[in-house]
Amino acid sequence: MSLPVAIVFLPLIAAAMTGLFGRSLGDKLSQLITCLALLAAAALSLFVFQDAVLAHHTQSIVLLRWIDTGPMSVSWGIRVDSLSAVMMLVVTVVSAMVHVYSVGYMAHDKSIPRFMSYLSLFTFAMLMLVTADNFVQLFFGWEGVGLASYLLIGFWFDRPSANAAAIKAFVVNRVGDLGFMLGIFAIFVLFGTFDFTPVFAAAPQMVGKTMAFLSWHPDALTVTGILLLIGAMGKSAQLGLHTWLPDAMEGPTPVSALIHAATMVTAGVFMLCRLSPLLEYAPVVLNTVVVVGATTAIFAATIGLAQTDIKRVIAYSTCSQLGYMFFAAGVSAYPAAMFHLTTHAFFKALLFLAAGSVIHALGGEQDMRKMGGLWKLIPITYALMWIGNLALAGIYPFAGFYSKDIIVDAAYAAGSSFGYYAFILGVAAAFLTSFYSWRLLFMTFHGKARMDAHRLSHVHEAPPVMLVPLFVLALGAIFAGYLGYESFVGAGQAAFWGPSILILPIHQALANAEHLSWMVTHVTLIVGVLGIALAWVFYVVAPGLPGQVAGTFALLYRLFLNKWYVDELYHAVLTRPVGILARWLWKGGDQLVIDGLTTDIPVAATRALSIQFSRLETGYIFHYAYAMLFGVVGLVSWYLVVRP
Amino acid sequence: MTPVVFLPALPELFLALASLGLLLIGVLAAPERTAKGIPLLGALALAVTLALVIQAPAGRAEAFYGMFVTDGFAVFAEALVLLAAIATLLAGLRFNAWQGIDRFELPVLVLLSVTGMLAMITANDLISFYIGLELQSLPLYVLAAFKRDSARSTEAGLKYFVLSALSSGLLLFGASLLYGFSAGTSYEAIGHALVQPDAMTAIGAVIGLVFLLAGVAFKLSAAPFHMWTPDVYEGSPTSVTAFFAVGPKVAALAVFARLAFGPFSGLAAAWHDVAWLLCVASLVVGGFAAINQTNLKRMMAYSSISHVGFALMGLAAGTEEGLRGMLVYLGVYTFMNLGTFVVLLGLGRDGAIAESLSDLAGLSKTRPGAALALTIFFLSLAGLPPTAGVFAKMFVLLPALHAGMPGLAILGIVMSAVACFYYLRVVKVMYFDEPGLPLDADVASGTQQAIFALAACVVLFLCVIPGPFLSIAGAAAHTLFP
């Protein structure tokens, strides 16, 4: 058995063992099995990374035939190239850290084996997704992570809000999935196969072809790309389909860190990079990606300014950072998108887990208005939060500096109007990012303690089992950018990515980004520092200021606080009308018409007939004899009258 | 003059002589020894007859100057009748003793009646057919009224006798018409005369055919000649009802098929109509009326009417495939129906037979084996997979479809959906209702359990190896299509 197969299936085996036999295995053994499986997978991933990326040994392992009907054949396979090797490493390392962290975080939960099983199941599905060799398996992983996400958001199923959030996440993702599925169907119609290799090879010949849909003949690659993009937007919570992500914070914090920050939500970005050989020939799609990404980046950042729930602030920052990755992919700077994906996985998981440590210390409190002054009580968490924030804000030399900088530069270097749009919004979002990040930090750790005395007396630093994973992630948040820069996006990028990413010679945003003026390349750092300074003024120097500003710009403040009223809009335009329609179809259509016609009326008729037939059975022998004679006369008349 | 050939009729002759022998033993031997000995000897005689039937040389053979014929078709039907008779005799042993009707006349009457059935099946002439029919019926009147101190039993016997007399009258009238228009009583002569009849002959023969088949339909309890069935089923002792439920129906359907594909093949359009009219009426009446019953024996009476409807569907198709379907249906029906009655034979409470629906409440707790077997039989009667019932229904529905009668097939499916209700209601009562008063222990016997367990296995596992059964039924059906 080869290493990649082991990496993919170790989490599945662990999930099956703890999921099926968790009750008899017990809490400790379940934790041990899943953590060991994931740590082993993470260690093996290093070897695969070494083999596939550094030694350029790409391979495609076919496990077994899956579907084989007529012209359609699909196999289970594992594709190992630079792209999937990077993803495998990120996924298994972050997942292993989250598994270990969960041992401490979930120590007092009632159903630990179930939680560990779901986490491992998620990891398996995510690995299936990133190692997919064809669109159908990609979709399998896609749905698998969606399922695990649903199960984990609703993990505390006795909370109505958690159930509502789980359903919302699932339903919103289904909207994206519909686009994704249609995209996959379009791929099959166009190329006659689901496998990546032949599809990518044939992509150049498809330029300019059209597709017939009713009386409409749109460009085939554009349609396919847009449909697939809708899928990516759903999974990566981009503008329009982003509403589920903040609500998903109802799940336990390790889930937020693993699924809703580091891995699953980046699946859309991964897909865009994986499909680069296709998207490169669909410029309309790429421009759409730029607009969607850049708009999401600034949109989510504005909402992040006004939120008071510590996890929701980080959730909106995730949404915003995903927007960066999107527009990076949109300007053909796929390596930059992957680079930011990787560094983001570390520092965002770090931020979430540190936030989890704060919540853990406060016994479940998530409202920042009831925090404050914690830095002396939990200094290690405080320091880790600083590291995460510096990385997120893109301050030199932390990881985010390298990855965010190259994205913004590439957008500028693309030279198109779309690129400039992304550049301006990206810089503005960077400023807001650093502002709200330090707003979070100052509100949580500085100023007066605003929680009650009982909570305050119980504040404690997290146990080592939670801190050690945080240290590992902090190392990533500090060094990943510096170490990865050269090979991910610098001079070595062509060799590093090999054939897994295609960038056409006309799309030279990334290459041009090396030759920009000093001002452009340092603008994100400058606005980042400015953001920190402003937050310091607002929340440390003059704590009365935020209230005044909110009062002055009341309209904007309310807009940000209420998330631009997107939820309300959807509720009014979609949820309520659909609910009314559904209720009408249920009561009027199903209960009245269908049940009436197919159940109530036949039942009444059967009962009436049954009573009539039994009433014939009078017990009188002459009635019986009469029936027989009637039968004979009837039969004879049948021949003489009906069929003469 | 050619000598009388009687060897092909050896099984019938043996059975007739054996029943007379048993009668003699019963009269001469001490009563306490005959109560158990005669039924066992009777079952042995039936078993020997079965062996003789099966061992008979293959192929068609005539005896008694063509009055009598045996062929593969007859062997199949006779085997079913004999199997059912053996099972009812053995399973009824304990029940009859418990009810105080364990007299030696009962098995003797059963044997005589079976002799009549065999004679009907193998008749090749209207005269011998009628003699067989009456030989079958006369013991049945007595058997129905066998518990003579019970008003319901004697009522059952009397009703059956009077109505049967009426049906015999109809049958004889039809037979005389046929004789009048074809100038012969043998099947060959009638068939020959009806190959290309003139207009007058056609009308007369059709009226004769209708009357004759009405008489057969009475024995078959096909609607609208079914009215006696619920009363007789309910009134007769259960051991007799079990015998009523299978043997006479198999014999009557065999006669119907032999007449239809033999002498009446020239009037195919006519008997097709009779078959499908009876089929529709039986399906509808049997299916709907059973829903309203709370007495299990009455419910089974309507259920048997509905099943006769299904068997007639195969016949109504009028093809070899349809005839095979009918035989398959009869075979499966024998096992599932007999199994049901054998289970019921073991249920009593306070000296009375447990025959109402509520008596079965909680049977799954008091008699898990019986409840499971009954569930299997009812699932099969309802035609649910994987039991043999679904398999049997398929073999009559498909020929009806192939013969261009989709309406009939749809009616069959709708009526089996209706039937599901009353079968599954019994299962629900057995498994989900709380048990009432305890059941009597002394009415159940190991023999019964062995028989219904065997029948349940056949019903449950027939679909695993249907091949042999199908090919036997197919070969039997083929013998009527030279």
Side-chain angles (χ1 to χ4, degrees), chain A residues 366-382:
Chain A
Q366 301 194 10
D367 190 339
M368 293 191 297
R369 287 170 300 188
K370 295 179 183 162
M371 297 180 182
L374 289 174
W375 70 275
K376 265 186 233 160
L377 298 168
I378 43 174
I380 302 176
T381 306
Y382 176 61

Side-chain angles (χ1 to χ4, degrees), chain B residues 39-298:
Chain B
L40 288 177
L41 281 175
L44 183 67
L46 289 168
V48 172
T49 314
L50 181 61
L52 289 174
V53 166
I54 294 173
Q55 288 304 310
R60 184 181 161 92
E62 295 189 353
F64 299 115
Y65 304 111
M67 299 278 274
F68 175 98
V69 66
T70 180
D71 52 17
F73 179 78
V75 168
F76 188 90
E78 286 177 316
L80 285 184
V81 168
L82 288 165
L83 270 178
I86 294 169
T88 43
L89 268 189
L90 292 178
L93 269 179
R94 177 73 66 88
F95 176 87
N96 291 338
W98 181 69
Q99 282 278 292
I101 50 170
D102 53 343
R103 284 186 295 275
F104 75 89
E105 290 93 339
L106 194 142
V108 172
L109 287 167
V110 167
L111 255 62
L112 283 170
S113 182
V114 170
T115 313
M117 292 173 200
L118 300 190
M120 274 168 79
I121 293 168
T122 50
N124 196 31
D125 188 293
L126 288 178
I127 305 282
S128 56
F129 158 55
Y130 183 71
I131 291 172
L133 184 82
E134 288 303 317
L135 181 57
Q136 174 211 247
S137 301
L138 277 170
L140 284 180
Y141 310 145
V142 185
L143 282 171
F146 205 80
K147 197 167 185 223
R148 59 188 179 194
D149 48 354
S150 153
R152 276 162 70 200
S153 182
T154 44
E155 181 193 334
L158 192 64
K159 270 184 180 164
Y160 188 50
F161 171 65
V162 173
L163 293 172
S164 191
L166 177 63
S167 88
S168 291
L170 297 175
L171 190 143
L172 279 179
F173 181 64
S176 61
L177 275 175
L178 282 172
Y179 172 65
F181 283 96
S182 64
T185 57
S186 87
Y187 290 178
E188 277 83 8
I190 298 172
H192 191 69
L194 297 181
V195 170
Q196 278 185 328
D198 54 56
M200 193 64 197
T201 312
I203 290 184
V206 164
I207 294 176
L209 172 144
V210 167
F211 275 81
L212 186 72
L213 290 184
V216 175
F218 175 85
K219 300 292 172 200
L220 202 53
S221 73
F225 308 98
H226 68 287
M227 303 290 274
W228 59 274
T229 322
D231 289 358
V232 172
Y233 271 45
E234 189 189 355
S236 308
T238 310
S239 53
V240 175
T241 312
F243 183 61
F244 258 110
V246 179
K249 290 189 204 296
V250 173
L253 261 177
V255 169
F256 199 141
R258 192 182 284 286
L259 286 171
F261 293 106
F264 298 155
S265 51
L267 299 173
W271 70 257
H272 277 177
D273 283 1
V274 174
W276 77 256
L277 284 168
L278 292 176
C279 166
V280 168
S282 305
L283 282 176
V284 172
V285 170
F288 283 116
I291 288 181
N292 209 26
Q293 308 306 322
T294 52
N295 181 299
L296 284 169
K297 279 158 79 179
R298 277 188 95 82

Side-chain angles (χ1 to χ4, degrees), chain A residues 327-524:
Chain A
F327 76 70
V331 298
S332 296
Y334 307 101
M338 285 303 295
F339 188 32
H340 197 50
L341 188 159
T342 308
T343 59
H344 175 261
F346 286 104
F347 63 71
K348 190 51 67 67
L350 172 65
L351 275 174
F352 259 118
L353 295 183
S357 173
V358 171
I359 296 166
H360 189 73
L362 290 172
E365 182 58 60
Q366 301 194 10
D367 190 339
M368 293 191 297
R369 287 170 300 188
K370 295 179 183 162
M371 297 180 182
L374 289 174
W375 70 275
K376 265 186 233 160
L377 298 168
I378 43 174
I380 302 176
T381 306
Y382 176 61
L384 291 166
M385 198 67 124
W386 261 97
I387 295 172
N389 262 359
L390 287 167
L392 172 62
I395 306 300
Y396 183 82
F398 292 88
F401 167 76
Y402 294 95
S403 56
K404 190 185 282 186
D405 198 50
I406 190 71
I407 287 181
V408 175
D409 292 354
Y412 184 85
S416 64
S417 48
F418 291 101
Y420 293 131
Y421 174 79
F423 173 74
I424 294 165
L425 293 189
V427 171
F431 173 71
L432 297 179
T433 303
S434 100
F435 176 78
Y436 68 64
S437 299
W438 265 270
R439 171 177 172 267
L440 180 151
L441 192 125
F442 291 141
M443 281 180 81
T444 308
F445 292 99
H446 292 265
K448 284 204 298 284
R450 293 181 295 274
M451 68 292 283
D452 53 50
H454 175 75
R455 279 243 160 91
L456 191 61
S457 63
H458 282 82
V459 171
H460 56 281
E461 189 60 85
V465 72
M466 285 166 69
L467 288 178
V468 169
L470 287 174
F471 293 146
V472 175
L473 293 171
L475 287 178
I478 299 171
F479 297 113
Y482 170 72
L483 291 176
Y485 186 79
E486 269 310 297
S487 26
F488 270 73
V489 290
Q493 58 113 340
F496 181 82
W497 295 109
S500 64
I501 286 179
L502 174 77
I503 303 174
L504 290 185
I506 52 165
H507 295 149
Q508 283 305 325
L510 197 60
N512 295 342
E514 300 293 318
H515 319 293
L516 295 174
S517 69
W518 184 89
M519 189 60 208
V520 173
T521 52
H522 288 80
V523 64
T524 52

